[in-house]
Structures are given as structure tokens and as C-alpha cells.
PDB file of all heavy atoms in Angstrom:
ATOM      1  N   ARG A   1     -24.216 114.149 153.949  1.00 76.00           N
ATOM      2  CA  ARG A   1     -24.577 114.473 155.348  1.00 76.00           C
ATOM      3  C   ARG A   1     -25.954 115.047 155.470  1.00 76.00           C
ATOM      4  O   ARG A   1     -26.465 115.275 156.539  1.00 76.00           O
ATOM      5  CB  ARG A   1     -23.552 115.475 155.920  1.00 76.00           C
ATOM      6  CG  ARG A   1     -22.120 114.904 155.977  1.00 76.00           C
ATOM      7  CD  ARG A   1     -22.071 113.717 156.896  1.00 76.00           C
ATOM      8  NE  ARG A   1     -20.700 113.127 156.971  1.00 76.00           N
ATOM      9  CZ  ARG A   1     -20.300 112.079 156.215  1.00 76.00           C
ATOM     10  NH1 ARG A   1     -21.166 111.495 155.415  1.00 76.00           N
ATOM     11  NH2 ARG A   1     -19.099 111.627 156.347  1.00 76.00           N
ATOM     12  N   GLY A   2     -26.610 115.342 154.329  1.00 70.00           N
ATOM     13  CA  GLY A   2     -27.967 115.818 154.355  1.00 70.00           C
ATOM     14  C   GLY A   2     -28.190 117.206 154.843  1.00 70.00           C
ATOM     15  O   GLY A   2     -27.246 117.998 154.944  1.00 70.00           O
ATOM     16  N   LEU A   3     -29.438 117.550 155.138  1.00 69.00           N
ATOM     17  CA  LEU A   3     -29.768 118.876 155.636  1.00 69.00           C
ATOM     18  C   LEU A   3     -29.195 119.121 157.011  1.00 69.00           C
ATOM     19  O   LEU A   3     -29.165 118.201 157.840  1.00 69.00           O
ATOM     20  CB  LEU A   3     -31.281 119.063 155.669  1.00 69.00           C
ATOM     21  CG  LEU A   3     -32.055 118.985 154.339  1.00 69.00           C
ATOM     22  CD1 LEU A   3     -33.559 119.128 154.588  1.00 69.00           C
ATOM     23  CD2 LEU A   3     -31.614 120.099 153.378  1.00 69.00           C
ATOM     24  N   SER A   4     -28.831 120.374 157.291  1.00 68.00           N
ATOM     25  CA  SER A   4     -28.353 120.727 158.590  1.00 68.00           C
ATOM     26  C   SER A   4     -29.293 121.760 159.168  1.00 68.00           C
ATOM     27  O   SER A   4     -30.045 122.408 158.453  1.00 68.00           O
ATOM     28  CB  SER A   4     -26.908 121.279 158.559  1.00 68.00           C
ATOM     29  OG  SER A   4     -26.876 122.415 157.693  1.00 68.00           O
ATOM     30  N   GLY A   5     -29.272 121.918 160.474  1.00 68.00           N
ATOM     31  CA  GLY A   5     -30.137 122.916 161.108  1.00 68.00           C
ATOM     32  C   GLY A   5     -31.520 122.345 161.433  1.00 68.00           C
ATOM     33  O   GLY A   5     -31.947 121.366 160.841  1.00 68.00           O
ATOM     34  N   SER A   6     -32.185 122.966 162.346  1.00 73.00           N
ATOM     35  CA  SER A   6     -33.513 122.538 162.766  1.00 73.00           C
ATOM     36  C   SER A   6     -34.533 122.989 161.724  1.00 73.00           C
ATOM     37  O   SER A   6     -34.279 123.880 160.925  1.00 73.00           O
ATOM     38  CB  SER A   6     -33.866 123.134 164.165  1.00 73.00           C
ATOM     39  OG  SER A   6     -33.764 124.570 164.100  1.00 73.00           O
ATOM     40  N   LEU A   7     -35.709 122.381 161.763  1.00 78.00           N
ATOM     41  CA  LEU A   7     -36.790 122.643 160.857  1.00 78.00           C
ATOM     42  C   LEU A   7     -37.125 124.176 160.860  1.00 78.00           C
ATOM     43  O   LEU A   7     -37.381 124.725 161.913  1.00 78.00           O
ATOM     44  CB  LEU A   7     -38.024 121.829 161.239  1.00 78.00           C
ATOM     45  CG  LEU A   7     -39.259 122.012 160.309  1.00 78.00           C
ATOM     46  CD1 LEU A   7     -38.950 121.503 158.911  1.00 78.00           C
ATOM     47  CD2 LEU A   7     -40.457 121.319 160.903  1.00 78.00           C
ATOM     48  N   GLY A   8     -37.033 124.786 159.690  1.00 76.00           N
ATOM     49  CA  GLY A   8     -37.369 126.176 159.583  1.00 76.00           C
ATOM     50  C   GLY A   8     -36.175 127.130 159.764  1.00 76.00           C
ATOM     51  O   GLY A   8     -36.326 128.344 159.537  1.00 76.00           O
ATOM     52  N   SER A   9     -35.010 126.579 160.133  1.00 82.00           N
ATOM     53  CA  SER A   9     -33.841 127.477 160.319  1.00 82.00           C
ATOM     54  C   SER A   9     -33.273 127.881 158.979  1.00 82.00           C
ATOM     55  O   SER A   9     -33.624 127.315 157.925  1.00 82.00           O
ATOM     56  CB  SER A   9     -32.786 126.696 161.122  1.00 82.00           C
ATOM     57  OG  SER A   9     -32.285 125.597 160.369  1.00 82.00           O
ATOM     58  N   VAL A  10     -32.391 128.844 158.959  1.00 82.00           N
ATOM     59  CA  VAL A  10     -31.769 129.322 157.701  1.00 82.00           C
ATOM     60  C   VAL A  10     -31.011 128.149 157.049  1.00 82.00           C
ATOM     61  O   VAL A  10     -31.037 127.963 155.841  1.00 82.00           O
ATOM     62  CB  VAL A  10     -30.810 130.524 157.966  1.00 82.00           C
ATOM     63  CG1 VAL A  10     -30.142 130.923 156.677  1.00 82.00           C
ATOM     64  CG2 VAL A  10     -31.611 131.657 158.572  1.00 82.00           C
ATOM     65  N   GLU A  11     -30.336 127.364 157.878  1.00 82.00           N
ATOM     66  CA  GLU A  11     -29.581 126.218 157.368  1.00 82.00           C
ATOM     67  C   GLU A  11     -30.532 125.204 156.682  1.00 82.00           C
ATOM     68  O   GLU A  11     -30.209 124.672 155.624  1.00 82.00           O
ATOM     69  CB  GLU A  11     -28.837 125.531 158.475  1.00 82.00           C
ATOM     70  CG  GLU A  11     -27.744 126.335 159.130  1.00 82.00           C
ATOM     71  CD  GLU A  11     -28.253 127.147 160.291  1.00 82.00           C
ATOM     72  OE1 GLU A  11     -29.483 127.328 160.381  1.00 82.00           O
ATOM     73  OE2 GLU A  11     -27.418 127.578 161.090  1.00 82.00           O
ATOM     74  N   TRP A  12     -31.656 125.008 157.270  1.00 85.00           N
ATOM     75  CA  TRP A  12     -32.648 124.066 156.725  1.00 85.00           C
ATOM     76  C   TRP A  12     -33.181 124.615 155.403  1.00 85.00           C
ATOM     77  O   TRP A  12     -33.353 123.887 154.420  1.00 85.00           O
ATOM     78  CB  TRP A  12     -33.767 123.872 157.738  1.00 85.00           C
ATOM     79  CG  TRP A  12     -34.853 122.935 157.323  1.00 85.00           C
ATOM     80  CD1 TRP A  12     -34.865 121.588 157.466  1.00 85.00           C
ATOM     81  CD2 TRP A  12     -36.083 123.290 156.670  1.00 85.00           C
ATOM     82  NE1 TRP A  12     -36.023 121.061 156.970  1.00 85.00           N
ATOM     83  CE2 TRP A  12     -36.795 122.064 156.461  1.00 85.00           C
ATOM     84  CE3 TRP A  12     -36.682 124.482 156.309  1.00 85.00           C
ATOM     85  CZ2 TRP A  12     -38.079 122.065 155.870  1.00 85.00           C
ATOM     86  CZ3 TRP A  12     -37.907 124.448 155.712  1.00 85.00           C
ATOM     87  CH2 TRP A  12     -38.596 123.274 155.481  1.00 85.00           C
ATOM     88  N   TRP A  13     -33.451 125.907 155.349  1.00 87.00           N
ATOM     89  CA  TRP A  13     -33.976 126.535 154.135  1.00 87.00           C
ATOM     90  C   TRP A  13     -32.970 126.449 153.020  1.00 87.00           C
ATOM     91  O   TRP A  13     -33.324 126.302 151.844  1.00 87.00           O
ATOM     92  CB  TRP A  13     -34.372 127.977 154.403  1.00 87.00           C
ATOM     93  CG  TRP A  13     -35.767 128.111 154.961  1.00 87.00           C
ATOM     94  CD1 TRP A  13     -36.115 128.460 156.225  1.00 87.00           C
ATOM     95  CD2 TRP A  13     -36.979 127.886 154.221  1.00 87.00           C
ATOM     96  NE1 TRP A  13     -37.477 128.467 156.373  1.00 87.00           N
ATOM     97  CE2 TRP A  13     -38.028 128.123 155.152  1.00 87.00           C
ATOM     98  CE3 TRP A  13     -37.274 127.535 152.932  1.00 87.00           C
ATOM     99  CZ2 TRP A  13     -39.360 128.005 154.802  1.00 87.00           C
ATOM    100  CZ3 TRP A  13     -38.615 127.389 152.561  1.00 87.00           C
ATOM    101  CH2 TRP A  13     -39.639 127.636 153.442  1.00 87.00           C
ATOM    102  N   ALA A  14     -31.709 126.545 153.337  1.00 88.00           N
ATOM    103  CA  ALA A  14     -30.639 126.490 152.332  1.00 88.00           C
ATOM    104  C   ALA A  14     -30.730 125.114 151.630  1.00 88.00           C
ATOM    105  O   ALA A  14     -30.658 125.024 150.394  1.00 88.00           O
ATOM    106  CB  ALA A  14     -29.262 126.692 152.956  1.00 88.00           C
ATOM    107  N   GLY A  15     -30.827 124.038 152.422  1.00 86.00           N
ATOM    108  CA  GLY A  15     -30.917 122.683 151.868  1.00 86.00           C
ATOM    109  C   GLY A  15     -32.250 122.494 151.047  1.00 86.00           C
ATOM    110  O   GLY A  15     -32.195 121.874 149.982  1.00 86.00           O
ATOM    111  N   LEU A  16     -33.305 123.054 151.570  1.00 90.00           N
ATOM    112  CA  LEU A  16     -34.566 122.891 150.880  1.00 90.00           C
ATOM    113  C   LEU A  16     -34.546 123.627 149.527  1.00 90.00           C
ATOM    114  O   LEU A  16     -35.030 123.118 148.528  1.00 90.00           O
ATOM    115  CB  LEU A  16     -35.719 123.423 151.758  1.00 90.00           C
ATOM    116  CG  LEU A  16     -37.151 123.301 151.179  1.00 90.00           C
ATOM    117  CD1 LEU A  16     -37.465 121.821 150.962  1.00 90.00           C
ATOM    118  CD2 LEU A  16     -38.149 123.945 152.069  1.00 90.00           C
ATOM    119  N   LEU A  17     -33.973 124.837 149.500  1.00 92.00           N
ATOM    120  CA  LEU A  17     -33.851 125.571 148.264  1.00 92.00           C
ATOM    121  C   LEU A  17     -32.989 124.836 147.285  1.00 92.00           C
ATOM    122  O   LEU A  17     -33.288 124.846 146.064  1.00 92.00           O
ATOM    123  CB  LEU A  17     -33.254 126.982 148.540  1.00 92.00           C
ATOM    124  CG  LEU A  17     -34.206 128.002 149.158  1.00 92.00           C
ATOM    125  CD1 LEU A  17     -33.438 129.266 149.535  1.00 92.00           C
ATOM    126  CD2 LEU A  17     -35.319 128.345 148.197  1.00 92.00           C
ATOM    127  N   PHE A  18     -31.968 124.221 147.751  1.00 90.00           N
ATOM    128  CA  PHE A  18     -31.060 123.455 146.885  1.00 90.00           C
ATOM    129  C   PHE A  18     -31.880 122.301 146.228  1.00 90.00           C
ATOM    130  O   PHE A  18     -31.812 122.133 144.985  1.00 90.00           O
ATOM    131  CB  PHE A  18     -29.968 122.794 147.743  1.00 90.00           C
ATOM    132  CG  PHE A  18     -28.590 122.992 147.184  1.00 90.00           C
ATOM    133  CD1 PHE A  18     -27.655 123.732 147.837  1.00 90.00           C
ATOM    134  CD2 PHE A  18     -28.276 122.467 145.937  1.00 90.00           C
ATOM    135  CE1 PHE A  18     -26.399 123.946 147.312  1.00 90.00           C
ATOM    136  CE2 PHE A  18     -27.040 122.627 145.385  1.00 90.00           C
ATOM    137  CZ  PHE A  18     -26.060 123.380 146.059  1.00 90.00           C
ATOM    138  N   ALA A  19     -32.631 121.556 147.017  1.00 91.00           N
ATOM    139  CA  ALA A  19     -33.408 120.456 146.483  1.00 91.00           C
ATOM    140  C   ALA A  19     -34.454 120.950 145.505  1.00 91.00           C
ATOM    141  O   ALA A  19     -34.667 120.341 144.433  1.00 91.00           O
ATOM    142  CB  ALA A  19     -34.068 119.678 147.618  1.00 91.00           C
ATOM    143  N   THR A  20     -35.086 122.061 145.838  1.00 95.00           N
ATOM    144  CA  THR A  20     -36.146 122.609 144.973  1.00 95.00           C
ATOM    145  C   THR A  20     -35.550 123.073 143.637  1.00 95.00           C
ATOM    146  O   THR A  20     -36.165 122.884 142.606  1.00 95.00           O
ATOM    147  CB  THR A  20     -36.834 123.813 145.661  1.00 95.00           C
ATOM    148  OG1 THR A  20     -37.349 123.378 146.929  1.00 95.00           O
ATOM    149  CG2 THR A  20     -37.977 124.343 144.805  1.00 95.00           C
ATOM    150  N   ALA A  21     -34.371 123.690 143.699  1.00 94.00           N
ATOM    151  CA  ALA A  21     -33.701 124.132 142.469  1.00 94.00           C
ATOM    152  C   ALA A  21     -33.414 122.956 141.569  1.00 94.00           C
ATOM    153  O   ALA A  21     -33.569 123.036 140.318  1.00 94.00           O
ATOM    154  CB  ALA A  21     -32.424 124.869 142.817  1.00 94.00           C
ATOM    155  N   LEU A  22     -32.946 121.849 142.111  1.00 92.00           N
ATOM    156  CA  LEU A  22     -32.645 120.660 141.304  1.00 92.00           C
ATOM    157  C   LEU A  22     -33.862 120.082 140.684  1.00 92.00           C
ATOM    158  O   LEU A  22     -33.883 119.741 139.513  1.00 92.00           O
ATOM    159  CB  LEU A  22     -31.923 119.634 142.170  1.00 92.00           C
ATOM    160  CG  LEU A  22     -30.531 119.965 142.664  1.00 92.00           C
ATOM    161  CD1 LEU A  22     -29.968 118.885 143.553  1.00 92.00           C
ATOM    162  CD2 LEU A  22     -29.576 120.210 141.498  1.00 92.00           C
ATOM    163  N   VAL A  23     -34.943 119.992 141.458  1.00 94.00           N
ATOM    164  CA  VAL A  23     -36.219 119.506 140.951  1.00 94.00           C
ATOM    165  C   VAL A  23     -36.731 120.394 139.806  1.00 94.00           C
ATOM    166  O   VAL A  23     -37.178 119.938 138.746  1.00 94.00           O
ATOM    167  CB  VAL A  23     -37.252 119.370 142.040  1.00 94.00           C
ATOM    168  CG1 VAL A  23     -38.628 119.028 141.429  1.00 94.00           C
ATOM    169  CG2 VAL A  23     -36.839 118.309 143.044  1.00 94.00           C
ATOM    170  N   ALA A  24     -36.701 121.715 140.032  1.00 95.00           N
ATOM    171  CA  ALA A  24     -37.151 122.693 139.015  1.00 95.00           C
ATOM    172  C   ALA A  24     -36.297 122.568 137.743  1.00 95.00           C
ATOM    173  O   ALA A  24     -36.821 122.774 136.625  1.00 95.00           O
ATOM    174  CB  ALA A  24     -37.103 124.091 139.566  1.00 95.00           C
ATOM    175  N   GLY A  25     -35.013 122.263 137.878  1.00 93.00           N
ATOM    176  CA  GLY A  25     -34.136 122.118 136.782  1.00 93.00           C
ATOM    177  C   GLY A  25     -34.561 120.939 135.852  1.00 93.00           C
ATOM    178  O   GLY A  25     -34.374 120.988 134.637  1.00 93.00           O
ATOM    179  N   VAL A  26     -35.119 119.939 136.468  1.00 94.00           N
ATOM    180  CA  VAL A  26     -35.663 118.784 135.665  1.00 94.00           C
ATOM    181  C   VAL A  26     -37.024 119.081 135.101  1.00 94.00           C
ATOM    182  O   VAL A  26     -37.343 118.769 133.969  1.00 94.00           O
ATOM    183  CB  VAL A  26     -35.734 117.541 136.547  1.00 94.00           C
ATOM    184  CG1 VAL A  26     -36.362 116.402 135.744  1.00 94.00           C
ATOM    185  CG2 VAL A  26     -34.355 117.120 137.057  1.00 94.00           C
ATOM    186  N   VAL A  27     -37.852 119.788 135.873  1.00 96.00           N
ATOM    187  CA  VAL A  27     -39.224 120.096 135.464  1.00 96.00           C
ATOM    188  C   VAL A  27     -39.227 121.062 134.265  1.00 96.00           C
ATOM    189  O   VAL A  27     -40.099 120.964 133.376  1.00 96.00           O
ATOM    190  CB  VAL A  27     -40.014 120.714 136.674  1.00 96.00           C
ATOM    191  CG1 VAL A  27     -41.346 121.291 136.169  1.00 96.00           C
ATOM    192  CG2 VAL A  27     -40.242 119.674 137.735  1.00 96.00           C
ATOM    193  N   ALA A  28     -38.275 121.996 134.238  1.00 95.00           N
ATOM    194  CA  ALA A  28     -38.270 123.014 133.174  1.00 95.00           C
ATOM    195  C   ALA A  28     -38.309 122.428 131.759  1.00 95.00           C
ATOM    196  O   ALA A  28     -39.170 122.837 130.948  1.00 95.00           O
ATOM    197  CB  ALA A  28     -37.051 123.922 133.341  1.00 95.00           C
ATOM    198  N   PRO A  29     -37.396 121.531 131.383  1.00 94.00           N
ATOM    199  CA  PRO A  29     -37.479 121.011 130.025  1.00 94.00           C
ATOM    200  C   PRO A  29     -38.705 120.104 129.792  1.00 94.00           C
ATOM    201  O   PRO A  29     -39.247 120.088 128.689  1.00 94.00           O
ATOM    202  CB  PRO A  29     -36.177 120.190 129.852  1.00 94.00           C
ATOM    203  CG  PRO A  29     -35.688 119.928 131.246  1.00 94.00           C
ATOM    204  CD  PRO A  29     -36.163 121.112 132.074  1.00 94.00           C
ATOM    205  N   ILE A  30     -39.132 119.437 130.834  1.00 94.00           N
ATOM    206  CA  ILE A  30     -40.364 118.600 130.675  1.00 94.00           C
ATOM    207  C   ILE A  30     -41.562 119.505 130.428  1.00 94.00           C
ATOM    208  O   ILE A  30     -42.410 119.214 129.589  1.00 94.00           O
ATOM    209  CB  ILE A  30     -40.574 117.749 131.943  1.00 94.00           C
ATOM    210  CG1 ILE A  30     -39.455 116.744 132.129  1.00 94.00           C
ATOM    211  CG2 ILE A  30     -41.926 117.053 131.937  1.00 94.00           C
ATOM    212  CD1 ILE A  30     -39.507 115.950 133.428  1.00 94.00           C
TER     213      ILE A  30
END
């Protein structure tokens, strides 16, 4: 269902942090 909430909302930030955490998890061993 993707990100929820309007741009900049707490809901939107939750989704963005999730995506960032996953990307960082790949970047770390590289």
C-alpha cells in the first residue's frame, strides 16, 4: 500500500525512515 500521509507528515516520515534504513542496511557491508 506504500507510504501513507501527506508529504512531510509523521506518517510520511515513518515510511521514509523505513526505506532509508533498508538502503543503509545494504550500504553498510558494501
Side-chain angles (χ1 to χ4, degrees):
R1 297 297 179 263
L3 296 176
S4 60
S6 58
L7 181 66
S9 66
V10 177
E11 295 89 342
W12 181 86
W13 275 109
L16 183 62
L17 284 172
F18 229 116
T20 304
L22 292 176
V23 171
V26 176
V27 170
I30 294 174

